[in-house]
Amino acid sequence: MATTARGPGSWSENILQYFLRNNQITTEDGAQITWYHAANHKAQMKEALKSTAHMVEADVLLPSNGSDHGQPIMAHPPESSSDNTLQEWLTEVVKSNKGIKLDFKSLAAVEPSMMLLENVKKHLKRPVWINADILPGPNGNSRVVDAKPFIDTVTSFFPDVTFSLGWTTGWHPEKVNEGYSWTMVKEMECICNELNQPVTFPVRAALVRQSCSQLLWLLKKSNRDGYIAGKSKRARRWLHNSHGCEDPRGEASL
């Protein structure tokens, strides 16, 4: 996989280098990067912006009830409404110096969201990650975001954005849970092979231990800077011992 230039202030800038450059971390160690997840509703958004988190993650979808005139809103299924639109969310977030990760739950929300992002791009001189689950993963369902139109739409607006491409997953506490199979990681590598943008791979932390060989293969095959962000310390250690990057929450990003 090729890599793009990750210049200072670009959306594809390595997040460790960005926060080190801005004196928000002391070394290029992913363990120092903190996240605020699901900053969707206005209360959570305000809390995230007041927090010490370096990266703010939120979920984007189109309302199913026809409200907000088809504007993208900030909500995670099964929610289908919100007190916060993406436009309102961006208006507040651009006032901060935090990195952004937007998680798309439907293809329909992508293009109108990219148009809104285009309006504020000049104010976002920081890492921006665009995420979607594009493949079924361990115990996952088939309700994925179609990979090609998702990637094509995002790239047509922002060729320098960082992609975060994942799998749908599930967890059964009473059963033995299989990890990410070779078929799963090879299919992901095939999709990402022609991309020029940096790519991270969000994975379920509880499945990392049984998937080390496959995930490390994906990192090495990608020929990119590896970044592993896990919600649990246990998940962080398994890949940290082999590859050296981590982060503190329950999903992991390779």
Side-chain angles (χ1 to χ4, degrees), residues 220-231:
K220 292 173 183 176
K221 192 71 174 177
S222 71
N223 192 30
R224 301 170 189 267
D225 293 337
Y227 182 76
I228 297 171
K231 294 179 187 173

Side-chain angles (χ1 to χ4, degrees), residues 61-71 73 79-82:
L61 50 77
L62 288 183
S64 62
N65 57 7
S67 62
D68 295 308
H69 307 288
Q71 282 197 63
I73 62 170
E79 290 184 328
S80 59
S81 61
S82 176

Side-chain angles (χ1 to χ4, degrees), residues 39-156:
N40 296 328
H41 294 280
K42 289 181 178 178
Q44 286 72 45
M45 175 192 70
K46 291 176 182 178
E47 184 178 270
L49 295 178
K50 290 178 181 178
S51 76
T52 59
H54 300 94
M55 295 287 292
V56 177
E57 182 266 349
D59 305 288
V60 187
L61 50 77
L62 288 183
S64 62
N65 57 7
S67 62
D68 295 308
H69 307 288
Q71 282 197 63
I73 62 170
M74 313 308 290
H76 189 290
E79 290 184 328
S80 59
S81 61
S82 176
D83 66 349
N84 211 8
T85 65
L86 175 59
Q87 185 167 13
E88 292 170 321
W89 192 90
L90 288 171
T91 297
E92 297 304 315
V93 173
V94 295
K95 300 174 186 176
S96 75
N97 61 357
K98 299 183 184 298
I100 293 172
K101 177 182 176 182
L102 292 175
D103 187 355
F104 286 87
K105 301 304 182 184
S106 72
L107 185 61
V110 177
E111 184 171 4
S113 298
M114 296 303 104
M115 294 172 70
L116 292 172
L117 273 169
E118 193 169 45
N119 292 336
V120 298
K121 181 172 174 59
K122 64 181 179 181
H123 303 295
L124 285 173
K125 304 298 183 183
R126 67 192 80 167
V128 175
W129 291 10
I130 303 297
N131 179 87
D133 291 336
I134 61 171
L135 292 172
N139 303 313
N141 58 55
S142 59
R143 294 191 298 274
V144 299
V145 176
D146 195 345
K148 189 177 189 313
F150 171 73
I151 291 169
D152 288 349
T153 300
V154 174
T155 302
S156 70

Side-chain angles (χ1 to χ4, degrees), residues 167 179-190 210-219 221:
W167 300 259
Y180 294 86
S181 69
W182 284 108
T183 298
M184 292 171 188
V185 296
K186 288 180 178 180
E187 189 173 7
M188 181 65 79
E189 194 275 335
C190 184
Q210 55 269 54
S211 312
C212 273
S213 296
Q214 291 88 342
L215 296 176
L216 288 171
W217 174 87
L218 184 60
L219 281 181
K221 192 71 174 177

